[in-house]
């Protein structure tokens, strides 16, 4: 014990060496980190402003000190600090020879040259000299800085620099020249002709890194000049798989626009929706889609003259895609769909093995046909498809691998290209690719993917019919994605899948999101309107909701009213049930809908009237309607304006049908008298109009010229209104465009042209090369290294 106490006292007096050792190690680690790495510049950028220290480093005589000061400025820029006040101190270092210093100076100048054009203009001679530097990175940075100086007087100088860099031997410099073209066009649009010459030179480049930027410059300067792509079309098709992802997204849209002006329709199937007189797109139901002619073989497989190894290529693509995701459950499901559709649509045969019987009879899978039997393809079912041109086939085959891209924008653009240009038999692979990308995309990209699929379903719903379960709503789906999924489900409902879809929709009614519940109610109404055999189950589910919360009950009654207007005979019993439950309905819009039903006008005209209903139900409605309207009139002061308006109209219609009913005439006069002194001017105007149209019994109002037309005005036949919509489609915007995503025309949007009746001459797409304008260095791939060296690949 004495020994232990003695050791403790000695330790307390001398102190433990462990804390000191830990502090020393920590200090050594921080110092070594600052020496080895430049990460400490980011930490220092968070502290107080070190302007004096940075200015001293920039004006110092040593290159290492200048590089240290520039690194501090770049670190401040990366964390969002404004260091433009150091611009004069930085621009004086632009003439220094060391690559590290000059590179950092150019990075700073590119950031602030646009905001400080006068100061940057002082060093424009140095920028011009650096265009001849041996390091391609310096040449590219010099061009970037020159094009960033937004001074109109420098446009001719920048134009000369772009022409020089467009013929540079370095891929990196030619790419910088393509990026500088839109900047010059923004400063001086009158340079369009000269810029188009540069763009044509860049489009002739055989390096994918340059072609992607050249396409972006083309879309910024002259997007309507599709004739410039004639000689580059085949090269762009073969090179698209090697272009960077964002270049692929731009190139797919450009090639789509070009192909729509050059090639005929691949088949007779529709690719856009028909618009009615109100310019609202009419969706194609599954019943209408079943009447469309179906193709049971891949049309691309019949054109084997241009690609003799098409069969082996497709088998390798399908095999590799099936082996890639064997361990992922969701991926396996989608890849199985790809395998099924490939077996169903890509069953290729050689020309010698095809017989006349095979040309007349095609096998259709059970998913696409109700009976699953052979479908005769005669002249009454489907016309023979036009053979696809070689260039058209080249575009489709070249872009097909892009459906497996990791970039969702590339997948959407490629899917849109195939949807508009590929035969219908080749589109199931597009549906599978979109579904797979949707399941693996982040939430911010799912809305665009789902809107694309919803638009495709509205035109060709049979493409997504085998994948209905992919559109079931998940708990983590955003609200806009949920709406689009509901829209797709209502478009894909058929007799075969109606049971599962209705069960899914009824489960959504218990969701905690009230907006989603209201949208589900509208979806049930659309299902009932699209599939009459499922209308009974939908209406029963809607009637059960009338006793729920006021907003939910109101939406359910409004949807039932729309269904009654479409099919009054089938839903007449529901009308009587709602009329009896009117005292328990509190929402104003729901009460107004029930009062409208009590009026007995279902838009069938005066000669039809209630005879369209079941005779027993029509008799009950005639006896029950006056009592229901009397209950509403008893609490007239408590009703909403919508209910008051509907009450006056319904009583007027009942009086016209039963002109000898004294109780009804007294009720009619009582309601019009109350409406005459209502505080709402709309109600007062409606009462004044109805009083002049159908004067109450014993009223001193003289009969007007409108009285003889009362029956034609109030009891006229009218078409049923459209069912409640989930997502309004305002126009036929091209898929994979910003206008389609926001549903209105945006700047730079070009609508797709109609297919030509006769294909254009393929000789115009023969490649043309002018050796006097394009050097040989631009026609071979070259890989640049940071130190300026290069290596041909």
């Amino acid at each position: 014990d004495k020994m232990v106490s003695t050791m403790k006292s000695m330790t307390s007096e001398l102190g433990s060496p462990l804390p000191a050792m830990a502090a020393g190690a920590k200090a050594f680690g921080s110092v070594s980190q600052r020496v080895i790495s430049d990460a400490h510049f980011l930490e220092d950028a968070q502290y107080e402003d070190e302007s004096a220290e940075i200015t001293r480093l920039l004006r110092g005589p040593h290159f290492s000190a200048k590089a240290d000061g520039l690194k501090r400025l770049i670190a401040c820029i990366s964390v969002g600090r404004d260091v433009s006040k150091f611009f004069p101190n930085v621009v004086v270092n632009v003439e220094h020879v060391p690559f590290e210093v000059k590179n950092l100076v150019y990075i700073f100048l590119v950031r602030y040259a646009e905001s400080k054009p006068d100061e940057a203009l002082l060093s424009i001679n140095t920028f011009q000299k650096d265009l001849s530097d041996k390091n391609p990175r310096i040449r590219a940075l010099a061009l970037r800085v020159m094009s960033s100086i937004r001074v109109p007087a420098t446009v001719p100088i920048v134009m000369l620099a772009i022409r020089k860099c467009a013929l540079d031997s370095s891929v990196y410099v030619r790419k910088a020249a393509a990026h500088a073209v839109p900047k010059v066009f923004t400063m001086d649009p009158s340079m369009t002709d000269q810029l188009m010459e540069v763009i044509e030179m860049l489009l002739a480049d055989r390096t994918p890194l340059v072609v992607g930027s050249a396409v972006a410059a083309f879309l910024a300067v002259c997007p309507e000049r599709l004739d410039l792509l004639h000689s580059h079309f085949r090269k762009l098709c073969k090179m698209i798989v090697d272009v960077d992802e964002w270049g692929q997204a731009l190139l797919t849209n450009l090639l789509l626009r070009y192909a729509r002006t050059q090639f005929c329709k691949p088949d007779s199937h529709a690719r856009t929706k028909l618009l009615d007189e109100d310019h609202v797109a009419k969706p194609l139901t599954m019943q209408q889609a079943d009447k469309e002619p179906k193709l049971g073989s891949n049309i691309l497989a019949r054109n084997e003259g241009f690609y003799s190894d098409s069969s082996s290529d497709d088998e390798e693509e399908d095999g590799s895609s099936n082996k890639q995701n064997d361990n992922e459950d969701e991926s396996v499901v989608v890849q199985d769909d790809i395998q099924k559709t490939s077996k169903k649509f890509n069953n290729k045969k050689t020309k010698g093995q095809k017989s006349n019987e095979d040309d007349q009879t095609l096998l259709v899978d059970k998913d696409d046909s109700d009976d699953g039997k052979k479908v005769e393809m005669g002249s009454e079912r489907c016309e023979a498809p036009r053979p696809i041109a070689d260039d058209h086939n080249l575009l489709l085959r070249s872009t097909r691998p892009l459906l497996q891209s990791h970039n969702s924008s590339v997948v959407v653009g490629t899917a849109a290209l195939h949807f508009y240009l590929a035969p219908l038999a080749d589109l199931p692979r597009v549906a599978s690719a979109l579904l797979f990308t949707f399941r693996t995309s982040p939430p911010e990209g799912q809305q665009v993917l789902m809107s694309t699929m919803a638009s495709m379903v509205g035109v060709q719903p049979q493409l997504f019919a085998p994948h209905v379960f992919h559109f079931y709503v998940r708990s983590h789906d955003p609200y806009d994605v949920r709406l689009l999924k509901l829209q797709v489900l209502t478009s894909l409902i058929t007799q075969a899948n109606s049971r599962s879809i209705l069960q899914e929709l009824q489960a959504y009614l218990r969701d905690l999101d009230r907006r989603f519940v209201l949208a589900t109610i509208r979806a049930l109404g659309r299902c009932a309107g699209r599939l009459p055999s499922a209308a009974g189950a939908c209406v029963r589910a809607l009637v059960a909701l009338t006793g729920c919360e006021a907003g939910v009950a109101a939406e359910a009654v409004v949807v039932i009213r729309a269904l009654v207007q479409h099919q009054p005979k089938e839903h007449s019993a529901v009308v009587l049930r709602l009329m009896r439950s009117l005292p328990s309905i509190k929402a104003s819009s729901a009460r107004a809908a029930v009062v409208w039903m009590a009026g007995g006008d279902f838009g069938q005209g005066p000669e039809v009237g209630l005879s369209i209903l079941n005779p027993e139900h029509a008799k009950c409605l005639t006896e029950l309607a006056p009592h229901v309207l009397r209950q509403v009139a008893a609490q007239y002061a408590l009703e909403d304006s919508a209910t008051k308006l509907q009450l006056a109209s319904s009583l007027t219609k009942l009086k016209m049908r039963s002109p000898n009913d004294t109780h009804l005439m007294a009720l009619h006069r009582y309601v019009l008298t109350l409406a005459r002194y209502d505080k709402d001017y709309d109600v007062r105007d409606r009462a004044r109009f109805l009083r002049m149209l159908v004067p109450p019994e014993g009223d001193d109002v003289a009969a007007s010229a409108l009285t003889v037309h009362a029956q034609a005005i109030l009891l006229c036949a009218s078409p049923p209104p459209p069912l409640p919509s989930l997502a309004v489609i305002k126009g036929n915007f091209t898929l994979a465009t910003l206008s389609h995503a926001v549903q209105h025309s945006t700047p730079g949007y070009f609508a797709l042209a109609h297919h030509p009746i006769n294909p254009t001459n393929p000789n115009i797409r023969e490649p043309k090369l002018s050796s006097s304008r394009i050097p040989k260095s631009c026609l071979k791939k070259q890989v640049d290294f940071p130190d300026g060296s290069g290596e041909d690949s």
Side-chain angles (χ1 to χ4, degrees):
D1 294 340
K2 292 181 180 181
M3 185 180 296
V4 172
S5 60
T6 303
M7 293 180 64
K8 287 183 178 180
S9 61
M10 293 175 63
T11 303
S12 60
E13 293 177 359
L14 298 177
S16 177
L18 295 180
M21 292 175 62
K26 183 177 181 181
F28 176 78
S30 61
V31 171
S32 62
Q33 182 180 5
R34 294 171 66 91
V35 172
I36 297 174
S37 174
D38 294 333
H40 64 280
F41 291 117
L42 295 174
E43 299 176 0
D44 295 341
Q46 304 294 337
Y47 299 140
E48 63 276 2
D49 191 10
E50 302 177 355
S51 57
E53 177 67 17
I54 294 177
T55 303
R56 184 185 63 81
L57 293 174
L58 293 176
R59 292 186 176 274
H62 302 290
F63 293 143
S64 59
K66 294 179 182 291
D68 187 60
L70 290 170
K71 290 179 181 179
R72 291 176 183 270
L73 291 179
I74 301 302
C76 292
I77 293 174
S78 64
V79 296
R81 295 176 63 182
D82 184 16
V83 291
S84 58
K85 63 181 181 180
F86 296 98
F87 193 92
N89 296 326
V90 174
V91 76
V92 297
N93 296 307
V94 72
E95 296 183 359
H96 287 289
V97 178
F99 170 76
E100 182 182 9
V101 176
K102 183 168 289 190
N103 185 30
L104 293 173
V105 170
Y106 273 120
I107 293 175
F108 182 91
L109 294 180
V110 168
R111 174 66 178 80
Y112 289 107
E114 185 174 355
S115 59
K116 298 213 177 264
D118 297 334
E119 291 84 347
L121 194 61
L122 298 176
S123 303
I124 195 168
N125 293 331
T126 304
F127 302 151
Q128 290 181 288
K129 293 179 181 178
D130 288 340
L131 292 176
S132 302
D133 193 276
K134 64 178 182 179
N135 193 322
R137 193 169 180 181
I138 296 298
R139 300 198 299 269
L141 287 174
L143 180 60
R144 288 185 61 187
V145 175
M146 290 182 63
S147 60
S148 300
I149 302 175
R150 301 302 177 93
V151 178
T154 62
V155 171
I157 301 176
V158 177
M159 192 65 210
L160 292 176
I162 291 177
R163 286 182 175 275
K164 180 179 180 180
C165 294
L167 301 176
D168 197 275
S169 60
S170 172
V171 177
Y172 190 75
V173 179
R174 300 200 299 271
K175 182 181 179 68
H179 289 168
V181 168
K183 298 180 182 179
V184 176
F185 177 76
T186 304
M187 287 190 292
D188 190 2
S190 63
M191 304 290 293
T192 302
D193 295 338
Q194 300 182 32
L195 292 174
M196 287 170 55
E197 296 179 2
V198 176
I199 291 174
E200 194 168 4
M201 295 167 54
L202 295 173
L203 288 175
D205 202 297
R206 295 185 180 180
T207 307
L209 188 66
V210 180
V211 170
S213 301
V215 170
F218 176 87
L219 294 175
V221 177
C222 51
E224 70 284 350
R225 290 294 306 274
L226 299 177
D227 56 295
L228 298 178
L229 302 178
H230 286 325
S231 58
H232 310 293
F233 173 78
R234 296 173 183 173
K235 185 199 67 176
L236 293 177
C237 291
K238 297 176 181 179
M239 194 180 292
I240 190 172
V241 294
D242 298 323
V243 178
D244 59 280
E245 293 179 345
W246 299 114
Q248 290 173 349
L250 297 175
L251 193 53
T252 51
N253 181 267
L254 180 60
L255 293 178
L256 169 60
R257 290 175 47 214
Y258 177 84
R260 285 291 291 254
T261 62
Q262 302 296 317
F263 307 133
C264 298
K265 293 180 63 175
D267 50 38
S268 59
H269 297 274
R271 295 298 193 274
T272 57
K273 298 181 180 180
L274 300 176
L275 300 180
D276 59 7
E277 60 276 4
D278 295 331
H279 302 286
V280 178
K282 293 181 178 179
L284 184 67
T285 61
M286 286 296 295
Q287 290 77 11
Q288 296 172 342
D290 291 338
K291 298 179 182 179
E292 291 285 326
K294 296 181 176 63
L295 300 177
S297 63
N298 191 348
I299 302 179
L300 293 180
R302 301 181 181 179
N303 297 291
E304 297 178 355
F306 193 69
Y307 287 100
S308 58
D309 57 344
S310 59
S311 177
S312 60
D313 292 342
D314 288 342
E315 291 177 358
E316 292 177 1
E317 292 176 4
D318 294 338
S320 61
S321 61
N322 290 335
K323 294 178 181 179
Q324 185 177 1
N325 299 309
D326 290 339
N327 297 328
E328 300 181 5
D329 295 338
E330 296 179 354
S331 303
V332 169
V333 173
V334 179
Q335 297 298 338
D336 289 343
D337 294 335
I338 298 177
Q339 186 177 4
K340 292 180 181 178
T341 53
S342 63
K343 289 181 180 179
K344 180 171 55 178
F345 293 100
N346 296 334
N347 199 4
K348 300 181 175 66
K349 297 181 179 180
T350 59
K351 295 182 179 179
Q353 294 175 344
K354 291 184 179 179
S355 60
N356 295 330
E357 295 180 357
D358 293 333
D359 293 334
Q360 297 293 330
T361 306
L362 297 174
L363 293 178
V364 179
D365 192 77
K366 293 182 180 180
D367 293 336
D368 294 333
S369 179
D370 294 335
D371 52 4
K373 298 179 181 179
K374 294 182 180 180
V375 179
E376 298 293 330
M377 291 189 61
S379 59
E380 297 180 358
R381 285 298 307 273
C382 180
E383 57 181 286
R386 185 191 298 268
I388 296 180
D390 290 344
D391 288 335
H392 190 176
N393 200 350
L394 170 65
L395 175 60
L396 296 177
R397 289 185 56 83
S398 300
T399 56
R400 189 176 298 169
L402 299 184
L403 292 173
Q404 301 176 2
S405 174
H406 295 285
N407 192 308
S408 57
S409 177
V410 177
V411 176
V412 172
T414 308
L417 185 145
H418 281 256
F419 181 76
Y420 289 117
L421 300 178
L424 186 65
D426 200 50
L427 293 184
R429 70 177 68 223
V430 173
S432 300
L434 287 174
L435 289 170
F436 179 77
T437 306
F438 175 80
R439 299 293 293 273
T440 57
S441 295
E444 56 270 14
Q446 291 184 350
Q447 195 273 339
V448 177
L449 287 163
M450 185 54 62
S451 63
T452 302
M453 290 186 284
S455 298
M456 291 183 178
V457 168
V459 181
Q460 297 292 345
Q462 68 273 21
L463 295 178
F464 293 88
H467 315 289
V468 178
F469 64 93
H470 286 288
F471 298 100
Y472 288 167
V473 177
R474 299 176 180 270
S475 58
H476 55 78
D477 287 337
Y479 176 69
D480 51 355
V481 175
R482 291 186 173 195
L483 286 184
L484 292 170
K485 282 189 174 183
L486 289 178
Q487 183 79 11
V488 172
L489 288 177
T490 56
S491 300
L492 295 181
I493 188 170
T494 59
Q495 185 67 32
N497 59 23
S498 60
R499 181 181 180 87
S500 60
I501 290 180
L502 292 181
Q503 289 179 353
E504 191 73 14
L505 293 179
Q506 290 178 2
Y508 300 158
L509 296 175
R510 298 188 294 270
D511 195 87
L512 299 178
D513 190 352
R514 184 173 177 273
R515 298 180 303 166
F516 180 57
V517 173
L518 298 181
T520 304
I521 293 174
R522 295 193 292 270
L524 284 172
R526 292 176 61 86
C527 291
R530 288 174 175 270
L531 192 63
S533 59
C538 295
V539 172
R540 285 193 297 270
L542 294 174
V543 171
L545 297 174
T546 55
C548 298
E549 185 258 335
V552 176
E555 189 70 27
V557 174
V558 170
V559 173
I560 291 175
R561 171 185 172 175
L563 293 176
V564 169
Q565 289 181 270
H566 280 265
Q567 299 174 340
K569 185 176 181 180
E570 287 76 4
H571 306 303
S572 55
V574 180
V575 174
L576 297 177
R577 181 173 177 177
L578 291 176
M579 290 171 60
R580 293 189 182 98
S581 60
L582 180 62
S584 61
I585 299 177
K586 303 301 180 183
S588 59
S589 58
R591 292 180 66 85
V594 176
V595 171
W596 173 86
M597 296 178 192
D601 180 23
F602 302 108
Q604 304 298 325
E607 63 278 0
V608 179
L610 297 179
S611 61
I612 193 175
L613 303 180
N614 190 318
E616 182 179 354
H617 293 164
K619 182 179 178 181
C620 294
L621 180 62
T622 305
E623 296 175 354
L624 184 60
H627 298 286
V628 173
L629 297 180
R630 188 178 296 109
Q631 293 177 1
V632 178
Q635 48 181 1
Y636 183 85
L638 303 178
E639 296 292 345
D640 191 74
S641 297
T643 307
K644 295 177 181 179
L645 291 171
Q646 201 60 60
L647 177 62
S649 300
S650 297
L651 280 173
T652 305
K653 295 175 184 178
L654 289 180
K655 181 179 180 298
M656 294 178 63
R657 289 197 180 96
S658 304
N660 299 325
D661 191 339
T662 57
H663 296 285
L664 197 58
M665 289 188 294
L667 182 60
H668 176 250
R669 180 171 183 174
Y670 172 75
V671 171
L672 290 184
T673 303
L674 293 176
R676 182 178 181 181
Y677 301 101
D678 195 87
K679 62 181 180 179
D680 192 346
Y681 62 87
D682 288 334
V683 178
R684 296 197 301 269
D685 292 345
R686 177 70 63 87
R688 186 180 299 109
F689 170 73
L690 294 176
R691 183 181 293 273
M692 298 299 295
L693 194 63
V694 183
E697 191 68 22
D699 202 334
D700 56 353
V701 178
S704 63
L706 294 176
T707 305
V708 296
H709 303 289
Q711 193 174 25
I713 294 175
L714 293 179
L715 301 179
C716 63
S718 59
L723 293 174
S725 178
L726 298 174
V728 178
I729 302 175
K730 299 180 180 179
N732 288 327
F733 296 104
T734 307
L735 299 178
T737 59
L738 179 61
S739 297
H740 179 267
V742 299
Q743 282 298 305
H744 65 79
S745 182
T746 57
Y749 171 74
F750 289 90
L752 286 181
H754 295 287
H755 286 281
I757 299 177
N758 297 319
T760 58
N761 188 357
N763 294 331
I764 64 176
R765 287 180 286 276
E766 291 293 335
K768 300 177 182 179
L769 184 62
S770 177
S771 59
S772 60
R773 297 176 57 187
I774 303 177
K776 295 182 179 180
S777 59
C778 298
L779 303 181
K780 60 182 179 179
K781 296 183 180 180
Q782 186 180 34
V783 180
D784 295 317
F785 296 99
D787 58 353
S789 61
E791 181 179 286
D792 295 338
S793 59

